[in-house]
Amino acid sequence: MEIAKTYDPTIVEAKWYQYWLDNQIFASRPDPAKEPYTIVIPPPNVTGLLHMGHMLNNTIQDILIRRARMQGKEACWVPGMDHASIATEAKVVAMLQERGIDKKSLSREEFLAYVWEWKEKYGGMILKQLKKLGASCDWDRTRFTMEDSLSEAVTKVFVDLYNKGKIYRAYRMVNWDPKGKTALSDEEVVYKEVQSKLYYVRYRIVPENSIPGNEQTPHPEIVIATTRPETILADTAICVNPNDERYRHLHGKMVVIPFTDRQIPIITDEYVTMDFGTGGLKVTPAHDLNDYELGKKHNLPVIDILNDDGTLNDKCGVPKYTGKDRFAVRREIVKDLEAAGLLEKTEEYRSNVGYSERNPDTVVEPKVSLQWWLKMDELAKPALEHVLDDTIRFHPDKFKNMYRHWMENVHDWSISRQLWWGHRIPAWYDGQGNFVVAANQEEALGKFQVQYPESTGEIHQDEDVLDTWFSAWLWPISVFDGFKDPENADIKYYYPTNTLVTGPDIIFFWVARMVMAGYEFRHEFPFRDVYFTGIIRDQYGRKMSKQLGNSPDPISLMERYGADGVRTGLLFSSPAGNDLIFDTPVPKSNKPDDIANFLKTNDPLESKLCEQGRNFNNKIWNAFRLIKSWQEAHQPPPTPSKGGGFATLPSEGVRADVAIRWFEARFQAALAELEDHFSKFRISDALHTVYDLAWDDFCSWYLEMVKPEFGQPISREVYAATAGFFDRLLRVLHPFMPFVTEEIWQSLEPRQPGESICVAEYPKAEAPLPTPPRKEGEFLAPLSGAGGAAILEEASLAFEVVRQIRNLRNGQGMSPKVALELLVSTPDASAYESFGSVIQKLANVSAIRVNDAPDRKHESRTGTGFLIKSDEFFVPLETTVDAAKERQRLQKELDHQIGFLESVDKKLGNEKFVANAKPEIIENERRKKADAEAKIKSLQESLASLCG
């Protein structure tokens, strides 16, 4: 078989993904003989396109599900989409405007027909893009929150909660989007720091017994600072701190709203901060959440001066402002206040202003509105309890405190939205203002006859729809039709699910609510573990977003670096819950001129992380090419001497035997590390373990140890062992790099149609076996030690010797072709018996003399030495050592070891690491510390001798 010189992901990825689909590799069905492993995808918006956050989130999900599938579990990853009421409606309204159609001219049914048309044509693009990433979802299970079955589930839950008294209808404060003309959830409000102005406005005190409008007598004033002067017209009180001596004489007085004859009281409350602004606060219950709460406390009236579109209504009391946009009125009222002598001064002021996430140019208004609400206090109790007691585990667990704070201070949920696209609220009204909640109109008519027998005329359904999160919180249950058929085979087998992968920014709006729904409707948790990804940020620390224009196009990234390259590139710096800096260059702003100038000198797809991922792919590919290039040839095992002694075995056989035994031990150690990392959801650490195993241990050490001399064959035994190692290595790599591993695995040996590495058995960690006794004629070199641990220790020493000799060559400018002699003074010669042939080959050492005339390093022959632990080494040289170069080499190595020691000390000084890591991992770090300290001492002594 001819193997391509370079790996081409553009050909490989499409080929194998289609192969997986054709062979139903990702399909899952309940199987009582197997353990289920279930993930439900955080459903992306039907309007969405793949962004870097999706890439990271879905890569992690795919790693987890692929590994579970290979472990023999019944792995089920359910994909789907969210209908995204606000975003989708905005998209369709924009589409209609391009066609010259105004939404207002359409009936609800006509508008929804256009929405479904748009959904069928453009919706779900992101799911197609996820396939390019390699997402191994069971695509036959794809769900959509607006499909009939899931819509019925939403209705059923609403009716159930209403009948339980947990859903009610009331006037309360909400976030209002004047452009979308709908209430928003807190999650749909994006706060931006903007440059504002602070206006100091004079409110005139009404003298006792004064006649409103009589301005003949001068009036005292109180000055109030505000950033929203247009809301003055909705004020219902002025509030001061009762302990503020400046205003004690004004308690109980009245002031006049500018440009009106309406009077409001001066009240007192310790809520007011005396040292902010003037120490006085205008109270506007209809247009500020805190003012709304203050107004309820003091029984203040609520005057809503804003229409749904953000214009002022006639309640403002000033006809000239009525019908004008809120910001136009702000500009106008400031001029009028100044002309009337009521504007004392204006200051520049930076403040956080809320914008609609779906209409990014629209400032959100706090607004008192008649909405449907869900009581959260009782729902929150089990959801909090079972996270705090680790029934549901957070990774990292630092998010438990954030979760607890929110759940202990939970507020009722505003669940209605003033839109047409979405799940319509199942409430019906008659002409007299009565209403009932029912699953359908027929049921509603029956309820009206019972509850309101006097009701006459037709009934109509509520015009509003439910918050998108109201369907999303049911997702782990509804995707398995757990509401439609609570005892069906899927829900009983796959639920509770295993792992949820999501971002911490929706921990309250989605994660917490799904937990509530799980305990309310299934009486158990919806998932066992929650893995929180970090937020992907650019080089300036900003969250990547389309609005900022600071995010690379994921599809273009995959086209350049391959899906495997991008997947591994993302994960190289993605510890759970911590933000990561993605390294593609970005402009400092999204202004057209800045972007144009940026593109002249920068490549927006340049990424060292993804390049590292691509290079890793190529490294594995080149290892494959090397292995397949070796020609198998039978070489009978050598016959050892009567005693089976070391010296009777040819060096090639000894070295190969040592390499095989060492890599088996190293592979087992890596599997144990992987198991520990995955059990703690340290996915990035798991990748680093596999990376080191593949790049360093397998490619850089093992293959070099067993590689035959140029033009020589390799024994069948060694080739079989090497191919076996490579096969197992591909399996642990596969969850991270699915495409390149499938391509190589299929070509490593003949496979049957339908076979795939996706379902090949995942290697299991086993305890290393002790070295068995030798049999006559056996192709095995005698190794010291009781088993794997001893082999790893001896290998570590041998590799360090090789590194030191290579560094010596580089420092002295010596050719690697020049064979060197190595003298060793050591109390334990076992490692040099086992790994002597390895050192000789990899460092080009002609002979190793162990404890042979230890004084030879003091002979007249020139040379240089080094120390590893308690072993002393001397390399005789034909020419005099360049002292300056040797000092430079030693100093460089000393600096490296000092830095390494600092990193180990930092890790061992981390109380959390020491408390959570396994004892053997901590012990390994302590050994690293001792080794580094010994090397530092040796290097310092060597430098001192050169200087002396």
Side-chain angles (χ1 to χ4, degrees):
M1 180 189 71
E2 185 177 350
I3 301 172
K5 185 175 182 181
T6 57
Y7 173 69
D8 187 350
T10 58
I11 298 174
V12 168
E13 291 172 2
K15 173 182 70 175
W16 288 118
Y17 202 89
Q18 190 59 50
Y19 177 87
W20 296 332
L21 294 179
D22 291 344
N23 289 279
Q24 293 284 296
I25 299 294
F26 309 147
S28 178
R29 298 293 179 269
D31 184 349
K34 296 170 68 175
E35 175 188 350
Y37 186 87
T38 316
I39 294 178
V40 293
I41 201 170
N45 288 352
V46 68
T47 62
L49 295 175
L50 198 64
H51 60 61
M52 297 305 291
H54 291 132
M55 293 278 283
L56 175 61
N57 182 291
N58 286 280
T59 293
I60 290 169
Q61 290 178 82
D62 195 46
I63 289 168
L64 295 173
I65 208 77
R66 283 181 182 273
R67 183 169 181 267
R69 189 180 289 118
M70 296 177 74
Q71 288 176 319
K73 298 175 184 178
E74 188 58 45
C76 180
W77 184 10
V78 181
M81 295 176 294
D82 187 276
H83 61 282
S85 295
I86 297 174
T88 305
E89 187 146 327
K91 288 270 190 184
V92 175
V93 168
M95 177 192 76
L96 292 173
Q97 287 176 343
E98 291 177 359
R99 299 182 185 181
I101 302 172
D102 188 342
K103 177 190 172 184
K104 296 176 183 177
S105 68
L106 301 174
S107 68
R108 187 185 193 111
E109 289 69 25
E110 289 171 335
F111 177 76
L112 291 178
Y114 280 114
V115 178
W116 283 105
E117 174 193 324
W118 184 93
K119 185 265 179 185
E120 292 304 315
K121 186 174 182 179
Y122 299 107
M125 288 292 294
I126 190 170
L127 297 186
K128 297 175 183 176
Q129 293 175 325
L130 285 175
K131 293 178 181 179
K132 296 181 89 56
L133 182 66
S136 58
C137 301
D138 183 349
W139 297 106
D140 291 337
R141 291 184 174 273
T142 303
R143 307 306 299 262
F144 179 46
T145 51
M146 282 293 288
E147 66 180 78
D148 290 345
S149 179
L150 272 63
S151 295
E152 290 167 6
V154 170
T155 299
K156 185 174 184 177
V157 165
F158 186 99
V159 173
D160 175 68
L161 291 172
Y162 179 81
N163 291 337
K164 291 175 179 176
K166 294 182 178 180
I167 285 181
Y168 64 96
R169 190 168 180 249
Y171 280 97
R172 292 183 60 181
M173 180 70 71
V174 297
N175 301 303
W176 187 262
D177 179 342
K179 184 175 182 180
K181 298 179 185 177
T182 180
L184 303 174
S185 69
D186 290 342
E187 192 275 335
E188 292 163 326
V189 179
V190 178
Y191 287 92
K192 304 176 187 178
E193 188 178 26
V194 299
Q195 188 66 42
S196 304
K197 292 185 183 295
L198 198 58
Y199 302 93
Y200 288 77
V201 180
R202 296 187 178 100
Y203 288 73
R204 289 177 175 164
I205 309 297
V206 179
E208 294 181 6
N209 303 319
S210 69
I211 301 173
N214 182 356
E215 302 297 335
Q216 295 179 359
T217 305
H219 299 301
E221 300 168 336
I222 182 171
V223 178
I224 304 297
T226 179
T227 58
R228 304 169 68 205
E230 70 279 8
T231 63
I232 288 171
L233 305 172
D235 290 350
T236 56
I238 298 293
C239 189
V240 297
N241 192 297
N243 302 312
D244 194 332
E245 294 294 334
R246 294 174 296 174
Y247 302 120
R248 190 173 295 276
H249 66 291
L250 295 179
H251 294 181
K253 300 285 187 179
M254 304 290 286
V255 301
V256 178
I257 298 294
F259 314 122
T260 75
D261 58 2
R262 187 162 60 86
Q263 298 182 9
I264 59 175
I266 297 176
I267 62 175
T268 61
D269 197 292
E270 291 188 351
Y271 168 78
V272 178
T273 303
M274 289 187 285
D275 59 358
F276 177 75
T278 65
L281 175 74
K282 60 188 288 295
V283 185
T284 319
H287 300 295
D288 183 274
L289 179 58
N290 294 321
D291 290 6
Y292 178 72
E293 297 299 326
L294 193 62
K296 286 199 297 183
K297 180 179 178 181
H298 292 273
N299 295 314
L300 298 176
V302 177
I303 303 175
D304 184 356
I305 63 169
L306 289 177
N307 295 314
D308 288 349
D309 62 357
T311 59
L312 271 66
N313 58 38
D314 56 10
K315 292 180 183 177
C316 73
V318 183
K320 64 178 290 189
Y321 300 146
T322 301
K324 294 181 180 178
D325 180 76
R326 54 192 165 146
F327 295 115
V329 172
R330 178 179 299 180
R331 293 188 293 270
E332 192 170 344
I333 199 171
V334 167
K335 292 179 181 178
D336 292 344
L337 288 168
E338 189 170 20
L342 297 177
L343 184 64
E344 182 175 272
K345 62 178 179 178
T346 302
E347 291 179 349
E348 294 296 319
Y349 182 72
R350 293 198 68 81
S351 61
N352 283 325
V353 176
Y355 286 79
S356 170
E357 183 183 45
R358 302 307 177 191
N359 293 304
D361 60 340
T362 302
V363 174
V364 170
E365 281 290 343
K367 180 179 173 65
V368 174
S369 178
L370 179 61
Q371 303 289 341
W372 289 90
W373 302 83
L374 174 57
K375 295 179 181 179
M376 301 289 279
D377 49 357
E378 291 300 319
L379 291 170
K381 289 178 181 178
L384 174 59
E385 174 189 349
H386 292 295
V387 168
L388 295 183
D389 68 10
D390 286 332
T391 300
I392 299 170
R393 298 172 295 213
F394 282 4
H395 307 277
D397 63 1
K398 67 180 181 181
F399 289 108
K400 284 170 66 174
N401 287 333
M402 182 192 299
Y403 180 89
R404 178 177 60 188
H405 175 76
W406 189 77
M407 296 293 277
E408 289 176 343
N409 298 278
V410 70
H411 299 290
D412 289 357
W413 176 10
S414 170
I415 57 175
S416 48
R417 299 290 180 265
Q418 289 61 57
L419 301 164
W420 281 351
W421 172 244
H423 300 105
R424 197 166 176 181
I425 290 174
W428 273 261
Y429 303 82
D430 65 9
Q432 291 78 51
N434 302 310
F435 73 88
V436 298
V437 170
N440 51 56
Q441 187 170 10
E442 182 180 358
E443 183 180 312
L445 286 168
K447 286 190 174 184
F448 264 107
Q449 291 173 2
V450 174
Q451 296 179 30
Y452 307 105
E454 73 284 359
S455 177
T456 59
E458 294 183 355
I459 62 173
H460 64 277
Q461 190 174 354
D462 197 306
E463 292 293 318
D464 291 351
V465 299
L466 286 159
D467 179 12
T468 298
W469 293 109
F470 196 86
S471 55
W473 80 316
L474 311 175
W475 186 248
I477 304 173
S478 62
V479 294
F480 297 115
D481 288 329
F483 295 102
K484 180 180 180 180
D485 182 4
E487 296 300 315
N488 77 78
D490 277 0
I491 192 73
K492 292 178 70 175
Y493 183 75
Y494 293 114
Y495 188 94
T497 67
N498 292 80
T499 306
L500 175 73
V501 181
T502 188
D505 51 334
I506 56 173
I507 187 172
F508 316 127
F509 309 106
W510 192 44
V511 178
R513 289 169 178 165
M514 282 191 288
V515 176
M516 294 180 200
Y519 283 105
E520 176 69 15
F521 301 112
R522 297 292 300 184
H523 310 295
E524 58 184 331
F525 54 83
F527 26 72
R528 186 69 180 86
D529 295 281
V530 183
Y531 177 100
F532 292 105
T533 65
I535 294 172
I536 302 182
R537 300 187 181 277
D538 67 17
Q539 66 200 71
Y540 302 110
R542 303 172 302 183
K543 180 179 178 180
M544 284 191 168
S545 69
K546 291 181 180 178
Q547 286 76 18
L548 286 177
N550 63 342
S551 176
D553 174 43
I555 301 300
S556 298
L557 276 177
M558 288 190 285
E559 288 172 350
R560 174 175 295 192
Y561 300 102
D564 290 333
V566 177
R567 286 166 65 115
T568 50
L570 271 172
L571 284 171
F572 278 132
S573 58
S574 303
N578 292 329
D579 293 354
L580 64 116
I581 304 297
F582 196 68
D583 61 346
T584 47
V586 296
K588 287 187 176 181
S589 82
N590 59 351
K591 296 178 181 177
D593 289 345
D594 289 345
I595 293 175
N597 291 331
F598 166 82
L599 292 175
K600 290 178 182 178
T601 56
N602 291 275
D603 180 354
L605 295 178
E606 182 182 357
S607 168
K608 295 297 182 185
L609 288 170
C610 292
E611 186 177 345
Q612 184 182 2
R614 180 177 61 187
N615 291 344
F616 188 29
N617 274 247
N618 292 336
K619 186 75 171 180
I620 302 303
W621 183 257
N622 289 333
F624 167 60
R625 294 179 61 237
L626 176 65
I627 292 170
K628 292 297 285 185
S629 71
W630 294 339
Q631 297 299 311
E632 296 183 51
H634 176 65
Q635 293 181 347
T639 302
S641 63
K642 189 174 183 180
F646 173 81
T648 63
L649 286 168
S651 61
E652 292 293 325
V654 172
R655 188 174 63 249
D657 185 43
V658 169
I660 290 167
R661 292 186 175 279
W662 164 73
F663 191 76
E664 177 62 43
R666 179 67 194 93
F667 192 84
Q668 290 298 325
L671 287 177
E673 286 179 34
L674 279 174
E675 185 61 38
D676 184 59
H677 289 322
F678 274 109
S679 70
K680 296 172 182 174
F681 287 84
R682 296 193 298 245
I683 311 301
S684 181
D685 291 344
L687 172 61
H688 281 284
T689 292
V690 177
Y691 181 88
D692 292 343
L693 178 69
W695 190 296
D696 295 333
D697 298 321
F698 187 74
C699 296
S700 298
W701 291 115
Y702 175 80
L703 290 182
E704 289 302 311
M705 283 192 273
V706 302
K707 182 169 68 175
E709 297 298 327
F710 180 75
Q712 295 299 310
I714 190 170
S715 75
R716 290 177 181 173
E717 292 86 353
V718 176
Y719 184 86
T722 302
F725 285 144
F726 196 41
D727 179 284
R728 292 156 70 195
L729 183 61
L730 290 171
R731 296 180 193 219
V732 296
L733 281 167
H734 176 73
F736 302 96
M737 305 155 59
F739 292 108
V740 69
T741 51
E742 183 75 85
E743 173 74 4
I744 295 173
W745 189 83
Q746 292 282 353
S747 304
L748 196 59
E749 63 178 71
R751 308 289 180 188
Q752 295 298 316
E755 278 193 283
S756 171
I757 194 174
C758 296
V759 289
E761 183 179 0
Y762 193 85
K764 297 176 182 177
E766 301 171 355
L769 297 174
T771 303
R774 303 291 173 261
K775 297 178 181 178
E776 187 71 21
E778 188 175 35
F779 181 58
L780 293 169
L783 290 173
S784 62
I791 297 170
L792 294 177
E793 286 285 339
E794 292 174 359
S796 177
L797 173 61
F799 296 159
E800 182 60 27
V801 172
V802 173
R803 277 190 287 263
Q804 289 286 354
I805 295 175
R806 288 174 176 175
N807 289 342
L808 186 153
R809 290 180 186 275
N810 291 334
Q812 296 297 320
M814 296 175 57
S815 168
K817 296 181 179 180
V818 176
L820 300 174
E821 186 181 14
L822 180 65
L823 282 64
V824 187
S825 177
T826 176
D828 182 6
S830 58
Y832 307 103
E833 293 178 349
S834 303
F835 283 86
S837 59
V838 172
I839 295 172
Q840 285 182 268
K841 179 182 182 183
L842 301 187
N844 192 11
V845 171
S846 58
I848 301 175
R849 302 184 184 278
V850 180
N851 295 328
D852 178 15
D855 291 337
R856 287 184 60 176
K857 62 182 178 179
H858 301 299
E859 294 176 3
S860 59
R861 296 173 68 186
T862 60
T864 186
F866 52 89
L867 182 81
I868 301 176
K869 295 183 179 179
S870 59
D871 294 354
E872 296 183 38
F873 300 83
F874 184 76
V875 181
L877 299 175
E878 296 299 325
T879 58
T880 303
V881 174
D882 186 325
K885 284 186 177 180
E886 185 64 3
R887 276 195 299 271
Q888 186 179 22
R889 182 185 74 82
L890 291 171
Q891 186 62 54
K892 183 178 179 181
E893 179 64 16
L894 177 61
D895 292 341
H896 169 75
Q897 291 298 332
I898 290 173
F900 178 74
L901 178 60
E902 288 175 353
S903 68
V904 174
D905 281 337
K906 184 177 180 181
K907 186 177 289 187
L908 288 172
N910 185 328
E911 294 180 2
K912 190 171 183 181
F913 169 77
V914 174
N916 295 325
K918 289 186 175 181
E920 57 267 30
I921 294 177
I922 297 173
E923 183 58 32
N924 186 46
E925 292 300 318
R926 287 174 178 156
R927 283 198 298 269
K928 290 180 183 177
K929 174 181 171 71
D931 290 348
E933 289 172 338
K935 289 176 183 177
I936 288 170
K937 181 180 178 182
S938 171
L939 290 164
Q940 289 172 336
E941 290 174 353
S942 298
L943 276 169
S945 66
L946 279 174
C947 294

